[in-house]
Each structure stands twice: as structure tokens, then as C-alpha cells.
Amino acid sequence: MRSNGTMDRRARDTARVTISDLSRALSLTKGTVSRALNGYPDISEATRNRVIRAAQAMGYRPLSQAQAIKTGRSCSLGLVVELSQYDAHRPFLAEFLAGLTQAASAEGWTLTIATSESETDTIRIMRDLVRDRKADGFILQRVLWEDPRIAYLERENVPFICYGRPKNREKVSYFDVVSEAAMADAITWLARLGHVRIGYIGSAPDYAYSHARRDGYRAGLAAEGLTYDARLVVEGALSPDHAAQATRQLLALETPPTAILCATDTLARGVYEVANTLGLKIGSELSVVGYDGAPEGQAMWPRLATFAVDNRQAGARLGAMFIARMQDPEAPATQGVIRATFTPGGSTGRPTLTSDQLARHLANLAAVTA
Amino acid sequence: MRSNGTMDRRARDTARVTISDLSRALSLTKGTVSRALNGYPDISEATRNRVIRAAQAMGYRPLSQAQAIKTGRSCSLGLVVELSQYDAHRPFLAEFLAGLTQAASAEGWTLTIATSESETDTIRIMRDLVRDRKADGFILQRVLWEDPRIAYLERENVPFICYGRPKNREKVSYFDVVSEAAMADAITWLARLGHVRIGYIGSAPDYAYSHARRDGYRAGLAAEGLTYDARLVVEGALSPDHAAQATRQLLALETPPTAILCATDTLARGVYEVANTLGLKIGSELSVVGYDGAPEGQAMWPRLATFAVDNRQAGARLGAMFIARMQDPEAPATQGVIRATFTPGGSTGRPTLTSDQLARHLANLAAVTA
DNA sequence: AGCATTGCCGAAACCGGTTTCGGAGACGCA
DNA sequence: TGCGTCTCCGAAACCGGTTTCGGCAATGCT
């Protein structure tokens, strides 16, 4: 048994070709081979090529842990996902990880992932990870408008990159989906259908994306020549329940919205819930638009019109940007964006009732229920 | 700039206390300290305690990468998630990772995660990960009934543990949720409501869980004294579209089911879709039960009755089991299970129509539509 | 008292790399 | 021919640990 184990280890070890094997085969010293492979200028091109060729032929790959103890870099990017009460289920993670790991493994990097329960927990975990050299830096997702993680990492001089655009974004590297454009597009879409009063349910202003989406909503109204009415806006919703309450509030207005734009698909669930219990027909008597392209939107009936986010591409871009940044720390902050793509659904349509008619209809429905 | 970077590195390095620091403070050699901490028998209890106490006081934590190059163990467990066409969105991942990383970090381990696009890709990635010592072993999720990953890892003698129970499970370590019990419970629940003809839509038999759920369905029928009718069973569904087709097939029977049990929540989406387009009232004219407790079930209307799976606990248990196994490789395979918890929803109710009445009703609806 | 054990620790090699330093040889130039 | 310079590589220290080996002192035993 025991001997079996050791035999296996030995078998695996002999399978691995070390820098000593390589140097022996080339009749060079370890040091020379190392410098040749790492691009030191004091190696002639001839021997450098000879070394590289031999390394390739023998299948040599440096053991990153051995490098790490001298260089301090472990070639692994860290991701600490914070499990808050509301967005733990967000399924974007799988696709995002796919992109990240793909970009990482393309460069020979790996992804070290950890989870935390709170903000302070996150920072503690990040500290431990860099201290133990388990991560050279971090990808920050769900960035806050004023993110303590950014403050911490900047102070400690640990490399990082954001998925999202925080408040003071000039010096930080980020990648993001421009959801403000999506929100504006949604307004255009709804306005062309004939909607005049369009409500908005936004999420917590702590998050960076909340700002972008709210701004997009206002920009869209302006572009379509619709007047902004503060009563049509409810912000700070995080769960379907919050959104349901917001929906009831919006529908209780004397001139209620005929369409509601939600900052996330999850919030749209609350709108559906209220509409379904009231007996309001979604897609005609009330139009709804979400954002995220989450599978829950596909589970709704009628299917939720929303904006699909390519989280995989985001992950891939973020990973590539991060690694490039680690390669050349002198380079300035890199920034990039993509757009979300609209995916229509049965949840929008021409308004069959005007705002006034809708108010009366709601009164009737309430009377029937009572 | 450059000097800035090096200064930071030095600052971080001095912050880290090495085994040499510790040995110097104790007036012992590195070797003695190392053996003391690693439980070698040739160290007196007195000095061992002295060392441990000092280590704690000085905040010494061995650098895992340095250990790894000698021991071969990197104290990181690998997870390769395979992004198949259908279950990529499954949101279980976040909770599962939470459990895994929690268990890992409790023991000072980390989680290295990678993604792959196919089965052969997965095995290639696993091979690279152990070769480069980025993972000491693997957690296998979504295990297949006959899983090539298991065959590979057993052959290569790489430690692993399964989330799920494959075909030949005697010698493998696993943890699983006993979905067969849930399926049987679902039958009981439906039978008590008055359902006699209960359909079943199962997923691809490749997956290990498909077997458990199908068996549970049959066991439930037997327990309730209901006869098994092969025509009420459709298997091999992977997407809502497949499930929709299966639903149409079941409803076209001369004596259609008044309730449909689905192997997953995702499949239930297909049932809803057909019912909604036909105008069939879910929860009265047709009852539906799912499995997984996915958020999409909460987005459906009426809310899907399903079985919630505690993926976090599963992750935590799997992580702990794996690490324990690595600590003592001689130990026999460990195995454990938990049960899913039923979460009622509006999708089930007493059948307002018998099977025959439902068939006539469906004929009417079809006539109206045509 | 003499001798073989045993317990406990130091010394040193080792793991797989990186990095510094110094020197041999080729070369240019007077 | 002599000398300085430059190119390129070897030698060796180092990183932070682990593990083997050997020896000294204290014990047990006759």
C-alpha cells in the first residue's frame, strides 16, 4: 500500500522534466537555462534558441511553486466572491468563471477562488491570500460605488482589476458592460411601442452598476423627449419582495406607469408577482423590461424582455487584462467595455390601456378582490 | 517606480515570518522546527510545545509553495467544471463553492478551479493540474453513471471524491443528496392530493442522478399502491424544450396524467410553457413538481413545488471529506448523504379534473385554438 | 562498571527553481 | 603584441521549506 503510493509519486515525478534534466541534456548549468528561458540579455540568441527548442521538445514546464518561492509571484489570480443575502444565487458565476479560467490557462495561470460572508471578511481573506502567495492579485466583481476593497488594495499596492466602474475610476483598471446604454435602449423600445409613463425600479445605490442604470434610464427619457417624473422611480430594491412593494407603490399612483423598467431580472420577478396576483396582463396592460439575461427571466411567463450580458467574454477580457498588467506593472490602467444585447420577450407590447385607464382598471380589480 | 515595486515586495516579505526566523528565535535548527511542527516522533513533547507556542506567537505560517516543492502536496483541491450546453447556467455553483472554500480554508487549503468545454478536455486539464501540482486531487460534480473521469483518476491514482453516486460506488468516496427519497415523497404528496396518474419527465441517463430519481419515482408509486405505466414516463430530457415536447406527448395520451413530476426544475419550465400556451391551469388542472430548488422555480407562476438541495452543505462536507482523506490515504472510502427538503408551491393541488375529463378538456382547448 | 539502547537534536543534503557575481574568451584598437 | 571592453556562460548562493543521517547524552540492563 505505502510502497504503492511512493511508487506512484516517483512515477509521476520522473514523468515531470525538471530544469536539471534540461540543463544536463544541454550541457549547460541550471542558471543558464533559467536565464535563457526568462529572457535575460546576457544569453546569446543561439543558445537561447537551443534551450527553448529543447525545452519544447522535452516538454519542460517550470514548476510554478518553485518559481514562486524565489520570485514571489505564483501566477494565480484571486477571486473572492462575497455571498450577500440577495445575490448569492446569481447564476452569472459559471459563465464568468469560464471566461476567467480560459484566459488564465491560456497564459499558464490558475484561478484561486474563495468565498466570504461579509465585506471585512473579504478583505481579511484577500490579505491572507497575498500573504501566503496564493494570489498575485484580484478580480473584483460586483464593485461598489465606493468600494472598500479598492481602497484596501490600492493602499497595500496589490494589483487588481474591476468588473464594473466605481466612483473614482480614472486610475483603476476595469471592464464593464455599459448598462446605461441598455437602459436607454429599453426606454426607446418602450416609447416606440407607445408608452409615455415608464416606471423604474432600481437597486441599491451602493453598487456601481446602480448608478449607470439609473443614469441610463434618465438619458433614455431625455432622448425620447419624455419628461422625468421622480414619482415613477423607486430605488434601493434588492429582492423580488422589495420590487413587489415598489410595484404596488408605482401602481397606486393616480397616473401609474404602463411600463416598468427594472435594474435586474430578479427585480422583475417582484413586478410579475404583483401583476399576477392583481390579475394584470403582462405584455399588454403592463409592460416589463429587465436586465441581466438571467435564466429566471426565461422561466417567467410571458418571457421577460431583458438585456443579455456576455459574462463569459467579460471574464475572459478581465483575465487577459489582469495578466497583461502583471506582465508590465508600469503600464497605465487599462479599461474596456462591451454592450449588452437586447433579447425581446412577451413582457412588452403596445399599451392596451392609457395610464388613466389603467388606474381605473386597477381600482376595479381591487374592488373585485375586496 | 521599479524601486517602489521592490520596496513593496521587501515590505511584504519582512512581514512574513519564515521558519528561519522561528528557528533563530528558538535557538533550534530549521530541521528541528520543521519536524516539531509536522509531528515527527523524534522530538520531545517539551520542545514541540515550545515550538508550537512560539509559532503561534510569532504568527508563523508555512509557505505552502515551499512545502509543495519537496512534499509534492500543494494543499489545494481542484474543481473542473464542465460547461455543457444545457446546465451551464445552473446557479448551484455559488453555494457549492461557498461550502467547498469554507471547508478548504478551515484547513488551510485552497480551491483551484478550472473550466472545460468537453469530457476529454476535462481529463486533459486534470492531468495538467496534477502534473503542475496545482491540485492534489479533485471534487467531481455532476458525476455520470459511468464516469470516464473516475476511470482516469483511479488509473492514475489521483485522489478524488464524487458529488453523486456513480454505478460502481463501493470503492469510491462520495457525498450525495438522496433524490430518490425526494421523488418518492413527491409521489406520496401528489397521491394524497388525489392524483392517480402521475407522469414523469426524466433527464439523460448518462447522469448518475437520473437513475436515482427514476428509481425514486417507481418506488413512490409502489409505496402508494399506484400502478406503473411506462407510457407516463419520458426520459432523456435535458432542456425546457425537450421537456415541453415530452409534456405534449404525455398530454396526448388517451388517459393523460393529472400531475407531472420532473427530475429537475429546468424541465418543469417546459411543462409550464406547454400548459401556459394551451391555457391549462397549473396547480389545479395540472400539477407539477420539480427538483433542485433553483431560483427559476421561484420565478415561475404559480411558484413551483420543488425539493431544495443544500448545495452549500454538500460542498462543505465534500471538502472536509476530501481533506481528511488526503490526511490519511490509508483510510477506506468515505460516503455520506443528506436529504432534500420539500418546498411547497402553488404548482400542486387537488386535481379538478380526472384523467378522462382532462383529455376532453384538452380536446376542447385544441379545437378552440384551431 | 561496562555496554547496548533509546531519545532527542544538529548538520547537511535536497526540492526546483532564480539571481548575483566573476571570469574566460573573443574582439577591437592602438 | 598588449590591453581594455564586451559577450556569454559557469559557479554558487539563495528562496523556504522537508527529510535523512549521524552522534551525543541519558537511560536500561546485566
Side-chain angles (χ1 to χ4, degrees), chain A residues 1-2 4 8-9 12-13 15-16 59 61-66 68-72 74-75 81 83 87-91 93-95 97-99 101-102 108-117 128-134 136 156-159 241 269 272-273 276-277 293 295-301 303 312 330, chain B residues 1-2 4 8-9 12-13 15-16 59 61-66 68-72 74-75 81 83 88-91 93-95 97-99 101-102 108-117 128-134 136 155-159 241 269 272-273 276-277 293 295-301 303 312 330:
Chain A
M1 281 299 140
R2 189 85 179 76
N4 192 352
D8 279 316
R9 261 221 52 207
R12 228 178 293 161
D13 283 353
R16 163 166 268 288
R61 291 182 43 168
L63 193 62
S64 68
Q65 352 229 14
I69 93 176
K70 185 76 185 179
T71 63
S74 63
C75 290
V81 321
L83 299 159
D87 52 24
H89 288 288
R90 284 193 44 168
L93 201 57
E95 286 292 325
L97 288 179
T101 54
Q102 179 199 316
W109 283 53
T110 53
L111 180 67
T112 299
I113 186 166
T115 54
S116 87
E117 307 285 343
D128 288 356
L129 285 176
V130 310
R131 164 141 82 52
D132 295 345
R133 305 239 181 87
K134 305 249 171 103
D136 294 336
E156 296 289 319
N157 221 305
V158 175
D241 285 347
R269 267 168 52 187
Y272 269 59
E273 201 173 297
N276 281 327
T277 49
E296 31 188 350
Q298 316 235 336
M300 302 183 191
W301 185 268
R303 191 160 293 189
R312 185 193 285 234
E330 315 298 320
Chain B
M1 282 299 137
R2 190 79 181 79
N4 191 352
D8 280 318
R9 260 219 54 209
R12 226 178 295 162
D13 282 353
R16 164 166 267 287
R61 291 181 45 167
L63 192 64
S64 68
Q65 351 229 16
I69 93 176
K70 183 75 185 185
T71 63
S74 63
C75 290
V81 323
L83 299 159
H89 289 288
R90 281 192 45 166
L93 201 57
E95 286 293 324
L97 289 179
T101 54
Q102 178 197 316
W109 282 54
T110 52
L111 180 66
T112 298
I113 187 165
T115 54
S116 86
E117 307 284 344
D128 288 355
L129 284 176
V130 311
R131 164 141 82 54
D132 296 344
R133 305 242 180 85
K134 303 253 173 97
D136 295 336
R155 178 153 38 85
E156 295 290 318
N157 220 306
V158 175
D241 285 346
R269 267 167 54 186
Y272 269 58
E273 200 173 297
N276 282 326
T277 49
E296 33 187 348
Q298 315 235 337
M300 302 182 190
W301 186 267
R303 191 160 295 188
R312 184 193 287 232
E330 315 297 319

Side-chain angles (χ1 to χ4, degrees), chain B residues 30 39 70 103 108 111 116 148 170 187 198 204 208 283 302 323 341:
Chain B
K30 291 197 310 178
K70 183 75 185 185
L111 180 66
S116 86
E170 298 75 25
I187 299 294
I198 304 173
I323 294 172
T341 60

Side-chain angles (χ1 to χ4, degrees), chain B residues 248-271:
Chain B
R248 278 189 287 269
Q249 180 182 327
L250 291 175
L251 292 180
L253 292 174
E254 60 273 41
T255 52
T258 60
I260 296 181
L261 176 57
C262 297
T264 69
D265 288 348
T266 301
L267 296 181
R269 267 167 54 186
V271 180

Side-chain angles (χ1 to χ4, degrees), chain B residues 115 125 184 211 245 254 279 310 367:
Chain B
T115 54
I125 289 176
H211 294 251
Q245 193 178 335
E254 60 273 41
D310 190 347

Side-chain angles (χ1 to χ4, degrees), chain B residues 90-279:
Chain B
R90 281 192 45 166
F92 94 108
L93 201 57
E95 286 293 324
F96 185 61
L97 289 179
L100 265 182
T101 54
Q102 178 197 316
S105 69
E107 301 284 338
W109 282 54
T110 52
L111 180 66
T112 298
I113 187 165
T115 54
S116 86
E117 307 284 344
S118 71
E119 207 167 273
T120 53
D121 201 28
T122 300
I123 289 183
R124 187 183 56 75
I125 289 176
M126 293 196 303
R127 175 171 52 73
D128 288 355
L129 284 176
V130 311
R131 164 141 82 54
D132 296 344
R133 305 242 180 85
K134 303 253 173 97
D136 295 336
F138 297 94
I139 310 286
L140 265 42
Q141 31 92 255
R142 295 191 76 67
V143 304
L144 303 181
W145 185 239
E146 296 176 282
D147 203 309
R149 296 175 296 176
I150 295 179
Y152 170 76
L153 293 172
E154 275 180 342
R155 178 153 38 85
E156 295 290 318
N157 220 306
V158 175
F160 67 96
I161 191 167
C162 297
Y163 186 11
R165 290 161 294 165
K167 187 177 178 187
N168 297 316
R169 64 187 65 158
E170 298 75 25
K171 303 162 301 176
V172 310
S173 292
Y174 63 78
F175 184 83
D176 200 9
V177 182
V178 285
S179 51
E180 59 269 39
M183 293 289 111
D185 287 351
I187 299 294
T188 301
W189 173 265
L190 291 169
R192 302 259 163 100
L193 283 172
H195 293 273
V196 179
R197 288 184 68 74
I198 304 173
Y200 177 74
I201 301 179
S203 43
D206 313 19
Y207 291 106
Y209 71 82
S210 298
H211 294 251
R213 296 187 198 171
R214 195 229 305 110
D215 294 349
Y217 166 74
R218 294 199 64 156
L221 289 180
E224 290 299 319
L226 297 175
T227 55
Y228 171 79
D229 184 345
R231 291 169 302 176
L232 288 177
V233 172
V234 181
E235 291 195 271
L238 279 168
S239 68
D241 285 346
H242 295 160
Q245 193 178 335
T247 304
R248 278 189 287 269
Q249 180 182 327
L250 291 175
L251 292 180
L253 292 174
E254 60 273 41
T255 52
T258 60
I260 296 181
L261 176 57
C262 297
T264 69
D265 288 348
T266 301
L267 296 181
R269 267 167 54 186
V271 180
Y272 269 58
E273 200 173 297
V274 170
N276 282 326
T277 49
L278 289 178

